[in-house]
Amino acid sequence: MELFAASQPGLLRMDYFFALALGALGIYLLLPKPKGKTSLLGSLAALGSLAWLGYLGFSPTGITIETGLFYLFGFFALVGAGLMVTQTNPARAAISFVLVVICVGGLMLLLAAPFLMAANMIVYAGAIVVTFLFVLMLASQRAPSDSDNRSREPALACFTGLALSASLILLLQRDQENANKGMGQWKGLGAPVAAVRLHQEENLRRDASGRPHSPADNTTFLGQTLYTSLLLPVELAGALLLVATVGAILIAQRRSGVEVMP
Amino acid sequence: MMEVIDFPPGLTHYLSLGALLFVLGLVGFLSRRNMILMFLNAELMIQGVALNFVAFARHRGNLEGQGFVLFLLAVAACEAAIALALILVLYRTQHSLDVSVWQNLREEGLDPTLDEEPLPLGPLEEKSPVLTPAGIGPQQPEETSHV
């Protein structure tokens, strides 16, 4: 009860909930089932929910190019994620995941993180998805199989997703509205991003002597952060990668039979 | 305090988008039965979290959040390597990617879940496209000359 007592007063808007429920219904209809899925109705519901959510989150004041790009990348990221969750063909699901990664990369670019965009795409689209595709090739199945054409408790899974997403998004939206009204204790979350953003970006773009950097200096700053305040985690991450590499090789080794060294 | 300006893609928008990606990954992880797809869905959840970190880094105007995403990438790469190695071993023993063949790992006293609906028997073998045979030219009327 402490949690509820600490929360601020404010209006929880139910239209967000209904939009999310429509999306959950769409995902439920689209999840693979042995009887065949109702693709048309499900995709209509999912796309309708996306459009509704976009409309609810849209405010006509201060439209910039950033707004358009955010909606573009966000739309395709969510569509790719939905496709990935509902595809019966795992290879196509992996390709949809690449679409998600590319769109998240675009969003990172909007958030002034060009280095992370590149790193994210190289690591995910370049390495992880390719490895996934290799394993899929090793274990490909032609006929309809239990693993691809069945879902485990799709209704319960969609309900869980609806509960989590509704609680997250309703709370976020209420905090935003409270901050817009100038009330609420959690100023850090709902505080006007744009005003803070311009000010702090100016600080980021200048070095100690006050000379402005180019925006592409994000990598320099990131490197400075990594090797000053985050030095210990960097070493730990390196150790973790080494251990994981050795472990993966050991696990995937064939133990039975005679070992033949080439 | 600064004045209230709310540009549409504010922090809340990015956080909501990250939450939706996370939830989609969660739904996929809970409901799909292909082990590879389950881990792909876990990666989708990580993407949503990474978006949150970058949005907060931008909002706070420092780079700790972006640095954290790099560690997230490192952990995700480790996770993918170990998970794929384990999936390979599991596939070699049971020749199936379905997680439900490992139901005997459940705690004792739980009945196994059985699939009742039969799978479609449809011919999943897609037909290869048939090309028109090449090599023999179509018949032409004989050429005549009047030289």
Side-chain angles (χ1 to χ4, degrees):
Chain A
M1 282 300 112
E2 273 297 302
L3 189 66
F4 293 109
S7 67
Q8 330 155 4
L11 191 63
L12 286 180
R13 287 186 33 198
M14 279 333 238
D15 41 1
Y16 281 87
F17 178 77
F18 290 129
L20 289 169
L22 186 63
L25 179 70
I27 294 290
Y28 170 71
L29 290 178
L30 281 174
L31 275 174
K33 298 180 188 65
K35 267 186 263 175
K37 50 190 186 183
T38 40
S39 307
L40 183 66
L41 208 59
S43 18
L44 277 184
L47 285 178
S49 137
L50 269 190
W52 194 358
L53 280 176
Y55 170 73
L56 286 178
F58 187 75
S59 65
T61 53
I63 298 176
T64 50
I65 296 182
E66 200 185 342
T67 318
L69 287 175
F70 172 80
Y71 273 95
L72 183 77
F73 286 131
F75 175 75
F76 280 108
L78 287 177
V79 165
L83 277 179
M84 189 188 116
V85 170
T86 56
Q87 277 287 345
T88 46
N89 186 338
R92 287 187 192 158
I95 300 298
S96 313
F97 182 60
V98 175
L99 178 65
V100 178
V101 170
I102 289 174
C103 291
V104 170
L107 290 168
M108 284 178 175
L109 210 52
L110 282 185
L111 287 169
F115 178 76
L116 277 188
M117 176 209 69
N120 200 32
M121 276 194 204
I122 291 169
V123 170
Y124 273 101
I128 294 186
V129 170
V130 172
T131 326
F132 272 110
L133 286 177
F134 270 121
V135 175
L136 276 181
M137 249 170 30
L138 286 181
S140 68
Q141 296 148 328
R142 289 258 168 112
S145 62
D146 279 343
S147 57
D148 290 336
N149 291 63
R150 290 185 197 281
S151 310
R152 195 193 311 111
E153 303 288 352
L156 283 182
C158 287
F159 179 73
T160 313
L162 176 63
L164 182 58
S165 61
S167 40
L168 284 175
I169 285 189
L170 286 181
L171 285 179
L172 277 175
Q173 162 269 335
R174 194 185 63 182
D175 270 338
Q176 173 75 45
E177 284 187 1
N178 281 344
N180 283 352
K181 280 186 238 148
M183 55 186 273
Q185 57 210 18
W186 215 11
K187 284 277 194 302
L189 185 60
V193 185
V196 186
R197 186 190 284 166
L198 283 179
H199 170 66
Q200 283 170 338
E201 225 162 78
E202 278 310 303
N203 280 349
L204 272 187
R205 285 185 187 164
R206 285 165 202 280
D207 59 10
S209 58
R211 271 178 306 158
H213 288 289
S214 68
D217 274 342
N218 168 263
T219 315
T220 317
F221 285 118
L222 196 53
Q224 277 177 6
T225 313
L226 277 185
Y227 286 102
T228 50
S229 57
L230 296 176
L231 185 57
L232 184 64
V234 169
E235 300 289 337
L236 286 180
L240 180 66
L241 276 171
L242 180 65
V243 171
T245 316
V246 176
I249 293 173
L250 263 183
I251 292 172
Q253 215 175 29
R254 280 177 196 277
R255 297 226 179 77
S256 57
V258 188
E259 290 190 358
V260 183
M261 299 295 282
Chain B
M1 224 35 220
M2 10 123 199
E3 55 186 315
V4 175
I5 310 168
D6 179 29
F7 279 174
L11 180 65
T12 313
H13 287 75
Y14 285 104
L15 292 188
S16 308
L17 186 57
L20 284 181
L21 284 179
F22 185 88
V23 165
L24 276 171
L26 178 75
V27 170
F29 190 84
L30 287 177
S31 63
R32 297 309 301 268
R33 286 172 50 164
N34 189 328
M35 281 188 282
I36 295 182
L37 274 186
M38 287 172 69
F39 277 94
L40 216 51
N41 279 305
E43 303 288 333
L44 181 61
M45 291 159 84
I46 292 180
Q47 286 286 304
V49 175
L51 195 58
N52 272 10
F53 272 123
V54 182
F56 269 119
R58 168 104 183 215
H59 178 67
R60 317 255 336 154
N62 59 24
L63 285 171
E64 260 78 14
Q66 295 193 16
F68 216 94
V69 175
L70 279 179
F71 299 124
L72 208 62
L73 281 181
V75 173
C78 294
E79 178 221 327
I82 299 282
L84 287 176
L86 284 174
I87 288 173
L88 266 184
V89 173
L90 293 181
Y91 180 74
R92 275 194 211 128
T93 39
Q94 288 275 1
H95 290 281
S96 168
L97 284 175
D98 191 4
V99 275
S100 296
V101 300
W102 297 98
Q103 286 187 43
N104 49 3
L105 295 180
R106 281 179 179 177
E107 64 181 291
E108 281 183 39
L110 284 180
D111 294 332
T113 313
L114 299 175
D115 304 314
E116 283 162 6
E117 288 180 66
L119 279 175
L121 292 174
L124 265 227
E125 201 78 25
E126 287 183 14
K127 278 185 185 171
S128 316
V130 179
L131 299 176
T132 49
I136 304 167
Q139 289 217 327
Q140 305 269 353
E142 266 184 47
E143 203 174 320
T144 52
S145 78
H146 304 282
V147 179

